[in-house]
Amino acid sequence: MKIIVVIPAYNESLSVAAVVTAVRPLADEVIVVDDGSSDNTASLALSAGARVLQHLVNLGYGAALISGSHEALARGADIIVHFDADGQFEPSQISAVTAPIVNNQVEVVFGSRFLGEVVNISWLRLITLKLAIYFTWFLSGIKLTDAHNGFRATSRAAWQKMKLHQSRMAFSSEIVDEVARQKLHYQEVPVKVRYTTYSRAHSQQGSWPALKIIKDIFWNKFLS
Amino acid sequence: MNLIQFVLLILAAISIWRLWQKYLGRDISVVEFIGWLLFWLLTAVVVVFPDLASYIASIFGVGRGSDLVLYIGLVLAFYLIFRIYVRLEKYDRDLTVVVRNLARAKAADKGGETEQKNSSATKS
């Protein structure tokens, strides 16, 4: 089975090379999508051995994952793994996240930091993530233990079935919604998420981004 | 004639003049031209004969003519904002497809050579 890891990256020059180097031996291929970075994220990812796609302008987390996943499909991926560039996930857990698909048990796997381990999380982020669980449950009918985790895997067939459009962070909710709509078999797998000063500074914090996500989802679902 | 009527009439005249130029330059369609022309002509008529607005307002059960004009203006403005919002979302999606296809067409490996290929249109 060909496993391709897709890593969206926006101005991650401090961490992207280390992440790619750590992930490469554990996957058949690593695709980094440089989402319009103003630093040298792309060249560092390239030197570290990733295949690199560059968005000319910043489109957002979801758009980068969709670009990378399309590329992964075109390159014959049987399993697409989504991973973060800021080093908050453990590369060694890729095999655990892909195992249920390899063993033909499910088509989609969501990583869960609340089944697994979470280190150094801010209280505001914790509350926002817990609320996101109920929000996603309300929208999709699926109650996960961790609704906005960027560590996930989908089978080739599952990715082809899902219709994903969200360019920004709402992508993480949309994919759960699509799993429900397409009646795909899914499973949650415990993963470790380690927040560092770097990853905390680099990811969107607090509740304001969460409100933007809610707006994006409702716009997409009911208006357009 | 009040000063405000004078100013509004000049504004309407300038708008119609610019509209006509845009139409000549084929920047707007016939339908758009006629629509906006009617809008500004109606505005001019109401400015010259304010009592007309009051008369129409009384038919609709609105107290004053100026109130009716305000209501209509507000509804029109909201509608236009909605149209612009929808258009922006569409451009957003189109831009995403363009940027994505460019990124995939120029995807590079460590080998150094940038791979040129005809990337098929993406689904999203």
Side-chain angles (χ1 to χ4, degrees):
Chain A
M1 281 222 181
K2 189 169 185 178
I3 296 174
I4 298 185
V5 177
V6 175
I7 305 176
Y10 177 58
N11 290 339
E12 301 280 13
S13 59
L14 289 177
S15 60
V16 72
V19 171
V20 170
T21 307
V23 169
R24 256 188 81 201
L26 306 164
D28 293 290
E29 208 173 300
V30 178
I31 296 174
V32 168
V33 183
D34 171 28
D35 193 22
S37 297
S38 52
D39 63 5
N40 55 347
T41 295
S43 58
L44 287 169
L46 199 66
S47 321
R51 181 172 178 79
V52 176
L53 267 62
Q54 267 186 296
H55 284 170
L56 288 176
V57 291
N58 179 253
L59 294 179
Y61 172 77
L65 279 175
I66 294 170
S67 294
S69 301
H70 278 311
E71 182 72 3
L73 274 193
R75 295 182 71 76
D78 296 304
I79 298 175
I80 300 168
V81 178
H82 293 164
F83 204 79
D84 278 1
D86 60 6
Q88 62 177 6
F89 297 138
E90 291 284 336
S92 61
Q93 293 185 319
I94 288 174
S95 57
V97 169
T98 52
I101 301 176
V102 174
N103 299 332
N104 263 325
Q105 294 164 317
V106 297
E107 296 157 285
V108 179
V109 176
F110 295 108
S112 169
R113 77 199 91 188
F114 297 120
L115 286 178
E117 194 183 338
V118 55
V119 180
N120 204 13
I121 191 169
S122 74
W123 63 271
L124 191 58
R125 168 155 288 221
L126 184 66
I127 291 170
T128 310
L129 283 169
K130 291 288 185 185
L131 285 175
I133 292 170
Y134 290 96
F135 179 70
T136 306
W137 184 20
F138 166 72
L139 271 187
S140 65
I142 290 182
K143 193 180 179 203
L144 297 174
T145 59
D146 187 359
H148 264 256
N149 194 309
F151 199 173
R152 59 178 88 82
T154 68
S155 71
R156 182 183 184 82
W159 184 266
Q160 285 170 327
K161 278 182 210 163
M162 291 188 286
K163 292 183 175 50
L164 300 160
H165 302 288
Q166 292 286 356
S167 284
R168 292 178 284 269
M169 294 303 288
F171 176 88
S172 297
S173 295
E174 188 184 37
I175 194 168
V176 181
D177 197 25
E178 274 299 293
V179 165
R181 219 169 60 87
Q182 304 290 347
K183 298 184 173 64
L184 299 171
H185 295 286
Y186 69 94
Q187 186 183 324
E188 281 191 289
V189 165
V191 298
K192 181 177 178 181
V193 176
R194 190 185 51 239
Y195 288 98
T196 59
T197 323
Y198 173 75
S199 74
R200 284 171 69 154
H202 251 231
S203 54
Q204 292 175 306
Q205 289 280 313
S207 297
W208 177 241
L211 291 177
K212 269 172 66 184
I213 291 171
I214 292 171
K215 173 238 145 198
D216 281 349
I217 288 170
F218 277 100
W219 178 260
N220 197 280
K221 213 173 163 68
F222 301 114
L223 287 171
S224 58
Chain B
M1 189 180 279
N2 292 324
L3 184 64
I4 181 75
Q5 285 177 301
F6 187 66
V7 171
L8 286 175
L9 270 184
I10 289 181
L11 203 74
I14 292 172
S15 299
I16 289 173
W17 169 245
R18 293 209 31 146
L19 201 63
W20 174 243
Q21 281 186 321
K22 284 202 169 168
Y23 175 64
L24 284 184
R26 292 287 179 272
D27 291 331
I28 51 174
S29 68
V30 188
V31 179
E32 280 174 307
F33 173 70
I34 293 174
W36 282 108
L37 185 68
L38 284 178
F39 172 79
W40 285 112
L41 285 179
L42 202 72
T43 304
V45 169
V46 170
V47 167
V48 177
F49 307 105
D51 292 344
L52 190 67
S54 299
Y55 172 69
I56 299 171
S58 67
I59 295 176
F60 281 99
V62 178
R64 293 185 309 176
S66 54
D67 286 350
L68 180 73
V69 171
L70 210 66
Y71 294 158
I72 293 173
L74 208 63
V75 167
L76 210 68
F78 270 123
Y79 172 70
L80 284 178
I81 291 171
F82 178 74
R83 285 257 316 250
I84 291 169
Y85 199 66
V86 169
R87 185 67 63 89
L88 268 180
E89 288 286 324
K90 182 184 145 26
Y91 285 153
D92 213 35
R93 287 186 177 195
D94 290 350
L95 178 74
T96 301
V97 172
V98 170
V99 171
R100 172 165 301 140
N101 285 349
L102 267 175
R104 290 193 54 207
K106 293 186 171 179
D109 283 331
K110 201 178 183 180
E113 77 280 19
T114 301
E115 199 176 318
Q116 293 290 345
K117 64 184 178 193
N118 296 320
S119 74
S120 53
T122 52
K123 282 192 296 180
S124 59

